[in-house]
């Protein structure tokens, strides 16, 4: 939640005389300057000097007395310290940071939270409708909807001068036309940016195709009609003062789940990297990530903060996308370019690759020729799952199909899923797949469609749970009680589905309905569902028994999460910021001690 929205204090007084980072227990308080009272559940971030071993930043939260503690913090003269809480701003006060042997940070209330609030805040105040759902589900696939760049563009549209003089009504109608055409232009441009999901070296790029192909809605993740819906909705609801947002217009909407023991560690990746996902391995101490932009696999050591990079053993671009561990410690990786799917052995540091390309795909330099190998079958832990015949099931975005791979024999097969009238294959945006506990059924989601159940014995879709346009069923995971949990990306909800009956059991509203929940993760130990969001710079924890939701705010703006993993040994949450295009937001891995 916006460290660039608060002032940073250099702790020279606290660490004077230190020439290198030193480990120590570091404590302090956060006090309200306006009333002298402690500020509970304030976020406090310690930013490490460049080159410091371990995380680049550590964030903790204050207790009821406003106290915070960093255990074993590495501190030096140029270490930065900042406090933040929605509705407050940090101020520097005399006496400075050091009082009575402990560091004191001061906050005061602020009426304008425009530079603190997440991107979702600008849509939380906009009218709820199917058009809003479509806008969020379509635009938030790659970037935050309501991001600073979007707000800047909206402000520039409003700054356009001209139109009829002397007639207020005619001028307002003229402005509506200007806004509509401006957003139509952006929608066309964003169609071309579908090619930015591919690696830098990809042969499938804008230089290889003509303009009509680049903006062809049938080769995009959203349809022609959805594009027009987006343009109309943004023109009518996303304008006005973008540098002002009242504290009364947005709130987190639910209690914070953080405690004084909650700790968020952030590890930097290169700014041009796009590590979409980060997972722990059950067999080694590292965190593993897929860098889709640079064709690399990342191995992050959370103790040292060092990252080792492994190229994919393939002559050409691959685009590592989804990464999943198995029980033996292998990493399975889907790749969105050149139809590749791979297994990486961390012990031998060797790859095994398979090609998954349906025979009906044409040879074409555009997305028309791409299978887009996407997600693979997982179990209730997010680990790789195989069916009763030993096959892995994989979603193919480009063809709206389920693919199967038998790793031992190398046998590959492809099967059609449900289709929706008016949608091309890629328009369906088939996404996640989860295997039932008995290994017979592979459930899949379509962001622009439904949730289906594929019988791996009969090779037929046997159940279909339908959702309205704009709902956006995205990443899913099952628990061990026969429920399938589904992130509803467009409507800001989570659904539970009875896997035996094939029906929705319950739908849970998230506190911020514009948060764009990208993925859900079942936590067996805590009996909770973790929700990764694209737009709200936060993580949600859902208690299925009570339906209660708590909020875990993140330390950055543009904190776009695409997946959360639960560490099998420590229970820590593992994630990464994954903004498209590369460099448009923070590029960091996350390791979170929940604090419960």
């Amino acid at each position: 939640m916006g460290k660039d929205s608060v002032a940073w204090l250099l702790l020279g007084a606290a660490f004077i005389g230190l020439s290198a980072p030193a480990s120590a227990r570091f404590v302090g308080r956060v006090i309200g300057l306006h009333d002298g009272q402690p500020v509970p559940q304030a976020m406090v971030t310690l930013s490490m000097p460049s080159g410091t071993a371990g995380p680049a930043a550590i964030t903790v939260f204050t207790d009821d007395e406003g106290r915070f503690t960093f255990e074993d913090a590495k501190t030096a003269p140029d270490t930065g310290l900042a406090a933040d809480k929605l509705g407050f701003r940090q101020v520097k006060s005399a006496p400075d940071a050091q009082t009575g042997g402990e560091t004191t940070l001061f906050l005061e209330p602020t009426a304008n939270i425009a530079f603190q609030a997440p991107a979702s805040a600008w849509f939380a105040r906009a009218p709820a409708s199917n058009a809003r759902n479509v806008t969020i589900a379509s635009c938030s696939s790659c970037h935050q909807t309501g991001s600073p760049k979007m707000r800047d563009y909206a402000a520039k549209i409003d700054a356009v001068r001209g139109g009829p003089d002397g007639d207020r009504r005619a001028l307002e109608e003229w402005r509506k036309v200007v806004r509509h055409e401006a957003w139509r232009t952006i929608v066309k441009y964003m169609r071309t940016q579908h090619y930015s999901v591919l690696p830098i070296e990809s042969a499938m790029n804008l230089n290889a195709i003509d303009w009509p192909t680049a903006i062809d809605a049938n080769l995009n993740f959203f349809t022609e009609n959805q594009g027009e819906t987006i343009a109309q909705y943004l023109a009518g609801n996303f304008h006005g003062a973008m540098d002002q947002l009242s504290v009364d217009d947005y709130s987190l909407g639910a209690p914070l789940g953080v405690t004084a023991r909650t700790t968020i560690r952030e590890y930097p990746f290169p700014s041009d990297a796009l590590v979409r996902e980060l997972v722990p391995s059950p067999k080694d101490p590292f965190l593993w990530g897929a860098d889709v932009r640079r064709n690399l696999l990342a191995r992050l050591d959370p103790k040292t903060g060092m990252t080792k990079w492994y190229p994919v053993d393939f002559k050409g671009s691959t685009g590592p996308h989804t990464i999943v561990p198995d029980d033996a410690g292998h990493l399975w990786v889907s790749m969105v370019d050149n139809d590749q799917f791979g297994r990486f052995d961390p012990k031998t540091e060797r790859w095994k690759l398979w090609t998954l390309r349906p025979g009906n795909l044409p040879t074409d330099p555009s997305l028309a020729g791409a299978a887009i190998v996407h997600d693979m079958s997982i179990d209730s832990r997010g680990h790789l799952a195989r069916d009763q015949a030993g096959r892995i099931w994989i979603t193919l975005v480009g063809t709206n199909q389920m693919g199967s791979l038998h790793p031992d024999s190398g046998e590959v097969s492809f099967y059609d899923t449900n289709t929706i009238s008016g949608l091309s294959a890629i328009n369906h945006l088939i996404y996640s797949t989860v295997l039932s506990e008995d290994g017979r059924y592979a459930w899949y989601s379509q962001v622009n469609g439904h949730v289906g159940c594929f019988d791996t014995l009969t090779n037929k879709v046997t159940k279909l749970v339908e959702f309205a346009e704009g709902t956006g069923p995205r990443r899913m995971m099952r628990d061990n009680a026969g429920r399938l949990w589904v992130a509803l990306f467009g409507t800001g909800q989570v659904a539970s589905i009875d896997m035996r009956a094939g029906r929705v059991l319950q739908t849970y509203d998230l506190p911020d309905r514009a948060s764009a929940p990208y993925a859900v993760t079942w936590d067996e130990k805590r009996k909770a569902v973790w929700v990764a969001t694209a737009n709200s710079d936060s993580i949600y924890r859902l208690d299925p028994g009570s339906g209660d939701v708590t909020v875990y705010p993140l330390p950055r703006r543009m904190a776009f999460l695409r997946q959360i993993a639960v560490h099998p040994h420590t229970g820590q949450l593992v994630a990464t910021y994954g903004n498209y295009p590369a460099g448009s937001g923070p590029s960091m891995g996350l390791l979170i001690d929940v604090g419960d």
Side-chain angles (χ1 to χ4, degrees), residues 161-319:
R161 293 294 175 261
D165 293 327
D167 187 331
R168 177 180 293 182
R169 179 174 296 180
L171 180 60
E172 179 53 33
E173 291 302 314
W174 178 84
R175 288 199 172 279
K176 288 180 181 179
V177 172
V178 170
R179 289 196 297 266
H180 189 192
E181 291 303 320
W183 286 113
R184 273 180 165 173
T185 300
I186 282 294
V187 166
K188 285 184 179 180
Y189 169 75
M190 294 311 297
R191 292 194 186 283
T192 71
Q193 294 307 293
H194 281 63
Y195 291 85
S196 72
V197 305
L198 300 168
I200 300 169
E201 300 89 351
S202 177
M204 195 169 287
N205 59 66
L206 292 176
N207 293 326
I209 59 176
D210 57 23
W211 179 251
T213 302
I215 62 172
D216 186 349
N218 290 319
L219 303 179
N220 279 182
F221 300 151
F222 56 92
T223 68
E224 191 73 41
N225 287 340
Q226 287 171 334
E228 179 59 20
T229 297
I230 294 165
Q232 289 182 0
Y233 189 79
L234 293 175
N237 299 285
F238 195 60
H239 57 87
M242 292 292 168
D243 59 349
Q244 296 289 321
L245 183 66
S246 169
V247 70
D248 297 324
D249 288 337
Y250 179 79
S251 71
L252 296 178
L256 296 187
V258 298
T259 71
R261 298 182 301 278
T262 303
T263 305
I264 303 174
R265 296 173 177 87
E266 297 175 297
Y267 300 86
F269 295 126
S271 60
D272 62 342
L274 210 170
V275 181
R276 287 178 43 104
E277 299 171 22
L278 198 65
V279 298
S281 167
K283 296 297 185 180
D284 63 53
F286 305 116
L287 306 179
W288 296 87
D291 185 347
V292 68
R293 194 65 172 150
R294 302 188 304 159
N295 299 300
L296 297 171
L297 197 66
R299 189 194 75 182
L300 170 64
D301 185 338
K303 289 187 177 179
T304 66
M306 299 297 293
T307 302
K308 183 175 181 179
W309 301 92
Y310 298 91
V312 181
D313 187 17
F314 182 80
K315 292 183 179 179
S317 170
T318 55

Side-chain angles (χ1 to χ4, degrees), residues 274-278 290 292 321 431 475 518 562 576 578 580:
L274 210 170
V275 181
R276 287 178 43 104
E277 299 171 22
L278 198 65
V292 68
H321 183 279
Y431 215 85
R475 278 202 158 138
Y518 203 98
R562 298 179 185 272
T576 182
Y580 282 104

Side-chain angles (χ1 to χ4, degrees), residues 417 419 440:
T417 64
T419 59
R440 177 169 177 175

Side-chain angles (χ1 to χ4, degrees), residues 36 57 127 171 231 307 309 343 411 437 524 539 593:
L171 180 60
T307 302
W309 301 92
R343 181 185 65 211
E411 180 184 359
E437 189 171 8
E524 177 64 24
I539 292 170
D593 291 306

Side-chain angles (χ1 to χ4, degrees), residues 300-573:
L300 170 64
D301 185 338
K303 289 187 177 179
T304 66
M306 299 297 293
T307 302
K308 183 175 181 179
W309 301 92
Y310 298 91
V312 181
D313 187 17
F314 182 80
K315 292 183 179 179
S317 170
T318 55
H321 183 279
T322 302
I323 180 168
V324 170
D326 65 18
D327 291 344
H330 299 119
L331 287 311
W332 296 81
V333 184
S334 66
M335 306 178 212
V336 293
D337 204 10
N338 280 309
D339 317 314
Q340 294 300 294
F341 183 79
R343 181 185 65 211
F344 181 78
D345 187 336
K347 292 182 179 179
T348 64
E349 299 185 346
R350 291 184 177 178
W351 286 91
K352 170 66 177 176
L353 298 179
W354 296 268
T355 299
L356 280 79
R357 185 173 180 83
N360 63 343
L361 268 179
T363 301
D364 194 294
S366 76
L367 288 173
I372 313 183
V373 181
H374 209 271
D375 276 22
M376 68 203 80
S377 48
I378 58 172
D379 62 15
S380 63
R381 302 164 298 165
H383 287 195
L384 185 83
R386 301 193 191 197
D387 69 9
Q388 296 171 355
R391 295 174 297 180
I392 300 167
W393 289 84
I394 302 155
T395 54
L396 304 178
V397 171
T399 58
N400 188 36
Q401 290 179 308
M402 295 287 285
S404 68
L405 164 68
H406 199 300
D408 298 334
S409 67
E411 180 184 359
V412 174
S413 300
F414 305 99
Y415 304 94
D416 292 337
T417 64
N418 68 287
T419 59
I420 298 171
S421 178
L423 301 188
S424 69
I426 196 173
N427 286 163
H428 289 78
L429 192 48
I430 193 171
Y431 215 85
S432 175
T433 182
V434 176
L435 210 59
S436 61
E437 189 171 8
D438 62 5
R440 177 169 177 175
Y441 300 101
W443 288 79
Y444 64 87
S445 62
Q446 298 166 321
V447 178
N448 287 322
H450 310 309
V451 170
C453 177
F454 187 88
D455 188 330
T456 65
L457 294 184
T458 65
N459 297 324
K460 301 290 185 182
V461 177
T462 57
K463 298 181 180 70
L464 196 64
V465 183
E466 297 188 1
F467 290 92
E469 182 186 35
T471 305
R474 204 165 193 125
R475 278 202 158 138
M476 312 182 296
M477 192 177 285
R478 68 170 174 85
D479 60 21
N480 295 310
R483 293 173 297 187
L484 182 68
W485 295 90
V486 187
L488 302 182
F489 193 55
T491 57
Q493 299 169 302
V494 172
S496 63
I497 292 175
D498 183 328
M499 299 176 74
R500 182 178 295 274
R503 63 180 179 86
V504 174
L505 291 169
Q506 193 165 349
T507 301
Y508 303 83
D509 290 348
L510 295 176
D512 181 345
R513 296 290 296 277
S515 60
Y518 203 98
V520 288
T521 300
W522 174 249
D523 188 331
E524 177 64 24
K525 182 178 180 181
R526 297 182 176 98
K527 303 297 183 185
V529 177
W530 295 102
V531 185
T533 72
N535 284 341
S536 70
D537 297 346
S538 63
I539 292 170
Y540 295 128
R541 177 176 177 168
L542 168 63
D543 180 345
S546 66
D548 292 340
V549 179
T550 50
V551 184
Y552 291 73
L554 295 168
R556 307 275 158 185
R557 295 175 72 195
M558 303 284 287
F560 192 128
L561 301 187
R562 298 179 185 272
Q563 187 65 287
I564 296 172
V566 179
H567 199 291
H569 305 309
T570 66
Q572 294 167 300
L573 306 186

